[in-house]
Amino acid sequence: MYDIIIVGAGPAGLTAAVYARRANKSVLLLDKAAFGGQITYSPKIENYPGFESISGSELADKMVEQALNQGAEVEVENVTGIRDNGETKTVLTEDGNEYEGRAVILACGAKHRHLGLENEEQFIGDGISFCAVCDGAFYMDKTVALIGGGNSALQEAILLSETCKKVYVIQNLDFLTGEQRLQEILTKKENVEIITGTVVNSIADTPAFSAITIKNVHTEELQRLPLDGMFVAIGLVPENGAFAELVDLDAAGYIDSAESCLTKTPGIFAAGDCRKKGVRQVATAIADGATAAIAACRYLDR
């Protein structure tokens, strides 16, 4: 029996583990993949306090090391559900294992929606990025494509246009869906070219990211675009479906929890990108992790 089981070992989950261990609670961290979360995809982070510049994987390693040194236990497991027993919770996994805890913190994160192309995964973090704030500086005076047409995509494109030589904005619909104000800003940028009614058909199969082929959805005409990098902003996918009976989810599938990180089920808390929130950055994730851990400790000590 653990005091607190944390589902997800990204910045929110790892921070929660540190805070919980410092409160002398036994902690188990469960994650189905490499610990560290989405930050491991970022080659350089320059907006995290205390580090002028650090790679995402290095920062993740430091967070994991700190949690382990504090005494948190870890297991690589894909959590498939939680059984609420009242004063205790049973966390169920894909491998058929069951872990008992007095409280659970859901820090499952949200993954960036991918394009689903054949060789996409090999270029993520090395030619393909999901965050212009994080990685835009690497493409100063270079040519990039921004895939997407919503508010987030347009904001990313505007940011990239300030430093990149050329920015292609590629949208599968015949129109951009972002705010008119953002569209007006983009259309005035001489180094921005907006291409609508078009999808990415393939990525050049080369050792380094070098080009994409785009396809017009109406004519099916193909065009090759040489690029230095590509930013994908077609939405995030939360992975909260397994917990839908225990927490409230909004229309997009995020846990509808306030800044308190509480959920409708006593003893279950939410932290990080899996939670409904306005800003998803490392700094806001660790803030959630601290808040959720403190709330869980208070719940246990009540």
Side-chain angles (χ1 to χ4, degrees):
M1 174 74 69
Y2 294 91
D3 290 324
I4 300 174
I5 297 176
I6 302 170
V7 182
L14 292 167
T15 301
V18 170
Y19 271 74
R21 283 299 301 142
R22 289 180 62 82
N24 203 31
K25 307 302 182 188
S26 58
V27 173
L28 174 65
L29 274 162
L30 300 174
D31 200 304
K32 66 180 179 180
F35 286 18
Q38 292 290 335
I39 63 170
T40 59
Y41 290 122
S42 181
K44 186 180 290 187
I45 294 174
E46 297 179 319
N47 58 357
Y48 187 81
F51 297 96
E52 185 173 344
S53 178
I54 187 172
S55 72
S57 59
E58 184 180 359
L59 180 58
D61 287 345
K62 289 180 179 294
M63 289 183 174
V64 172
E65 182 180 5
Q66 184 177 12
L68 293 176
N69 288 342
Q70 291 285 342
E73 297 182 32
V74 300
E75 293 288 348
V76 178
E77 291 269 23
N78 182 24
V79 174
T80 56
I82 297 173
R83 186 164 59 241
D84 181 15
N85 311 313
E87 291 298 309
T88 65
K89 319 296 177 190
T90 303
V91 178
L92 313 173
T93 74
E94 188 175 59
D95 291 339
N97 295 318
E98 298 186 359
Y99 298 92
E100 299 291 327
R102 298 169 59 209
V104 174
I105 296 175
L106 297 175
C108 322
K111 62 181 181 180
H112 292 282
R113 193 184 301 277
H114 294 185
L115 295 169
L117 300 174
E118 183 177 349
N119 56 342
E120 182 177 5
E121 298 296 323
Q122 76 182 69
F123 292 114
I124 292 177
D126 190 18
I128 297 178
S129 176
F130 300 94
C131 178
V133 173
C134 309
D135 302 329
F138 295 112
Y139 298 95
M140 182 176 293
D141 298 325
K142 295 184 178 181
T143 299
V144 301
L146 188 289
I147 315 302
N151 281 345
S152 296
L154 300 190
Q155 289 167 347
E156 297 262 291
I158 291 170
L159 181 61
L160 291 168
S161 71
E162 296 173 357
T163 55
C164 295
K165 179 176 67 176
K166 176 79 173 183
V167 179
Y168 293 99
V169 177
I170 300 171
Q171 163 75 317
N172 63 327
L173 302 176
D174 291 328
F175 51 88
L176 300 176
T177 57
E179 295 176 0
Q180 188 62 37
R181 177 182 60 85
L182 298 176
Q183 294 186 40
E184 291 172 357
I185 294 174
L186 268 185
T187 55
K188 293 177 182 178
K189 300 276 189 178
E190 294 183 358
N191 62 334
V192 173
E193 181 176 342
I194 299 172
I195 304 174
T196 57
T198 300
V199 297
V200 181
N201 189 66
S202 63
I203 301 170
D205 188 13
T206 53
F209 186 90
S210 61
I212 62 173
T213 299
I214 58 176
K215 181 175 72 172
N216 184 287
V217 298
H218 303 295
T219 66
E220 296 193 350
E221 177 185 356
L222 298 176
Q223 178 185 353
R224 187 177 187 273
L225 285 183
L227 297 173
D228 297 299
M230 179 170 70
F231 290 78
V232 181
I234 56 175
L236 294 170
V237 183
E239 300 180 283
N240 297 322
F243 319 114
E245 294 183 1
L246 299 173
V247 299
D248 290 323
L249 302 180
D250 69 5
Y254 292 98
I255 299 174
D256 197 352
S257 170
E259 296 296 324
S260 64
C261 295
L262 303 177
T263 73
K264 71 177 183 180
T265 302
I268 296 182
F269 307 85
D273 287 357
C274 67
R275 187 177 73 79
K276 179 181 178 181
K277 56 197 304 181
V279 179
R280 290 186 170 85
Q281 291 285 299
V282 182
T284 61
I286 64 172
D288 273 8
T291 300
I294 292 170
C297 290
R298 287 174 176 168
Y299 167 80
L300 295 176
D301 294 340
R302 72 197 188 287

